[in-house]
Amino acid sequence: MSDVRHVLVLPDRDAAEEVLQALGEHFGATEEPRLIRDALAGEDDAEDAQWLVVVEDPEARVDAVALDAFVAERDGWREAP
């Protein structure tokens, strides 16, 4: 087993929740992803936040290239490992 983690950065909660649902259905993720609100440094406004979806992928089942494209369609990106 490898120790693969995908950190997806999305602009809003709706996009992050959509990605959460798709991970198991379309990408074969077996681990429960985590949704994390990441406030931008120096910002007090609750709207100024990114949403992170963290996916543990110990069996490397998730196709990173397809995941990149899927997240990009929602104005997000996957952090490079």
Side-chain angles (χ1 to χ4, degrees), residues 3-38:
D3 190 20
V4 177
R5 174 182 291 151
H6 303 283
V7 178
L8 313 175
V9 183
L10 294 132
D12 57 56
R13 186 177 186 124
D14 289 340
E17 288 178 345
E18 183 178 342
V19 168
L20 274 175
Q21 290 180 339
L23 285 169
E25 296 170 13
H26 301 292
F27 292 99
T30 57
E31 299 287 323
E32 184 69 29
R34 292 179 288 145
L35 180 63
I36 301 168
R37 182 182 176 274
D38 184 32

